[in-house]
């Protein structure tokens, strides 16, 4: 019976260790690339964790054709956590965002910044792509809109009207942005 507490602590350690390393199945779920209000302050990306395990985004990056940004915990509008809980959401903005001043995001949504004043080099209103990479620089998810990029699987999603977001259909991933 004396080893039971040690076994319990060891199991907790393993859960924490592997929760941070699990990177499968995080999805780029929704993108606001052409907000009605100033693009410089109101672009955002929503991530979704469809798994039953928490996923730690420490060391992760988001990239487009030109720029790669590191993800950071948001202490201005959140608690700084980088862990998306099971079946939970994460919300990526830039450091200069004014989004939280005008819109309400549920408290349980993890708030994340990119490491500078714009998501990548700004999300392209006439076409762009996004690649989410884990801490080992492995591609976790990708998407494209309007323009067909050769390094992105499948076909691009169609454009959306200004002020509308591009959203994944039923949280599915077929590796084809036009179908997802």
């Amino acid at each position: 019976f004396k080893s039971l507490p040690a076994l319990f602590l060891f199991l907790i350690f393993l859960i924490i260790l592997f929760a941070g390393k699990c990177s499968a199945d995080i999805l780029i779920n929704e993108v606001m690339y052409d907000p009605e209000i100033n693009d410089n302050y109101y672009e955002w990306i929503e991530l979704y964790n469809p798994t039953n395990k928490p996923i730690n985004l420490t060391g992760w990056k988001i990239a487009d054709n030109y720029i790669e940004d590191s993800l950071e915990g948001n202490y201005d509008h959140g608690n700084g956590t980088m862990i998306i809980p099971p079946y939970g959401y994460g919300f990526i903005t830039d450091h200069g965002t004014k989004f939280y001043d005008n819109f309400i995001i549920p408290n349980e949504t993890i708030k994340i910044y990119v490491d500078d004043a714009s998501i990548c080099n700004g999300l392209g209103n006439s076409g762009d792509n996004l690649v989410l990479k884990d801490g080992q620089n492995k591609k976790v998810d990708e998407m494209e809109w309007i323009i067909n990029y050769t390094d992105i699987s499948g076909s691009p999603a169609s454009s959306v009207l200004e002020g509308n977001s591009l959203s994944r259909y039923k949280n599915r991933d077929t590796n084809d942005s036009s179908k997802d």
Side-chain angles (χ1 to χ4, degrees), residues 74-95:
N74 183 333
Y75 289 97
D76 294 335
H77 302 286
N79 64 5
T81 187
M82 295 289 289
I83 299 172
I84 299 180
Y87 311 108
Y89 294 88
F91 199 77
I92 302 171
T93 60
D94 60 63
H95 266 286

Side-chain angles (χ1 to χ4, degrees), residues 48-72:
Y48 176 62
N49 176 3
T51 73
N52 62 357
K53 297 179 175 112
I55 298 179
N56 188 339
L57 303 181
T58 300
W60 287 41
K61 298 174 182 162
I62 190 83
D64 69 359
N65 252 1
Y66 303 101
I67 301 289
E68 182 175 272
D69 283 324
S70 297
L71 301 181
E72 302 176 349

Side-chain angles (χ1 to χ4, degrees), residues 147-166:
I147 298 171
N148 193 7
Y149 294 90
T150 58
D151 57 335
I152 304 292
S153 304
S155 300
S158 300
S159 66
V160 295
L161 296 173
E162 180 183 47
N164 290 276
S165 61
L166 182 59

